[in-house]
Amino acid sequence: MKCPFENLYSRFEQITATKEWERLQNSFNEADSVYIIGNGGNMAVASHAAADATRLSGKKTYALDSQSLLTSIANDFGYENIFKRWLELYALGSKETKSIVIGYSGSGGSKNVISALAWAKDQYNFSSHLISGQKSTCLPDGVNELVCETQYFHTHEIMCVMSFYELVYGSGNKCPVIKDEIIRKMVH
């Protein structure tokens, strides 16, 4: 038995042809700061995306990947408020910059992700976007949603990785080629 990947690439091509994708790409291109949030495997995707977006696009990109900060916020403010509180801490003074918050939720209903996206939009006028596996039934107005229509969490997580690299390419940047990196490292 093989793991089902739900025709990833054709689904991805469909998503990137939507007006919601265009809105996300334009917001990413215009942003000075990027904040990425997600739970479980999507937290790992957010952390990886933040590292590569910073490295490849030069944009200040952040994810809540400090275990100490995450657990202290969860303890002091509740798990449902971790991303909202983290954004309060990190976005402090960012009202004058163009910022974007990208949330990942396989179910489309992660309360801590949804509430942080709404809060960032309402309090800071940040461009807020959700990439969901299933259409959200609790997303407030003004938050842009890209629905992957996936059955499995692993498929959604892979689509989130793909979407982030597409944002990097769509901003006029690119990823290094493996062979070129090997040669570069041999020369230096």
Side-chain angles (χ1 to χ4, degrees):
M1 175 180 215
K2 291 188 176 190
C3 183
F5 286 106
E6 304 183 71
N7 298 313
L8 268 171
Y9 198 72
S10 62
R11 284 180 188 269
F12 183 69
E13 285 183 322
Q14 291 170 354
I15 290 168
T16 57
T18 64
K19 66 182 186 322
E20 291 83 8
W21 178 266
E22 184 178 348
R23 203 172 301 137
L24 172 60
Q25 184 69 66
N26 289 338
S27 294
F28 182 83
N29 292 351
E30 294 171 3
D32 297 319
S33 299
V34 181
Y35 303 92
I36 310 167
I37 56 178
N39 294 300
N42 282 324
M43 173 64 87
V45 172
S47 179
H48 184 79
D52 271 0
T54 299
R55 182 175 68 89
L56 299 172
S57 73
K59 291 183 181 291
K60 297 176 195 169
T61 310
Y62 309 95
L64 175 53
D65 48 12
S66 165
Q67 295 172 358
S68 297
L69 182 58
L70 186 146
T71 57
S72 69
I73 292 172
N75 184 62
D76 295 346
F77 298 95
Y79 190 76
E80 67 279 1
N81 294 308
I82 59 170
F83 298 122
K84 186 175 124 184
R85 179 65 180 144
W86 172 72
L87 284 169
E88 275 183 304
L89 296 169
Y90 270 68
L92 197 63
S94 294
K95 284 188 177 185
E96 61 279 348
T97 65
K98 288 189 174 189
S99 297
I100 179 176
V101 181
I102 301 170
Y104 300 142
S105 173
S107 67
S110 302
K111 291 178 183 177
N112 56 0
V113 172
I114 303 294
S115 67
L117 291 170
W119 181 87
K121 179 186 67 65
D122 294 342
Q123 295 298 311
Y124 284 86
N125 199 31
F126 286 180
S127 180
S128 294
H129 305 265
L130 177 66
I131 300 177
S132 61
Q134 294 288 309
K135 183 161 181 54
S136 178
T137 59
C138 56
L139 198 65
D141 290 339
V143 176
N144 184 41
E145 182 179 18
L146 290 94
V147 183
C148 298
E149 296 182 23
T150 56
Q151 293 180 1
Y152 299 98
F153 288 104
H154 66 269
T155 309
H156 174 258
E157 291 162 6
I158 294 168
M159 298 241 341
C160 288
V161 170
M162 292 170 69
S163 69
F164 211 83
Y165 285 108
E166 186 64 26
L167 288 172
V168 167
Y169 271 76
S171 67
N173 297 287
K174 62 181 185 171
C175 297
V177 176
I178 295 171
K179 190 166 187 135
D180 292 347
E181 282 297 294
I182 293 169
I183 292 168
R184 183 187 67 80
K185 289 176 181 178
M186 289 173 49
V187 172
H188 290 78

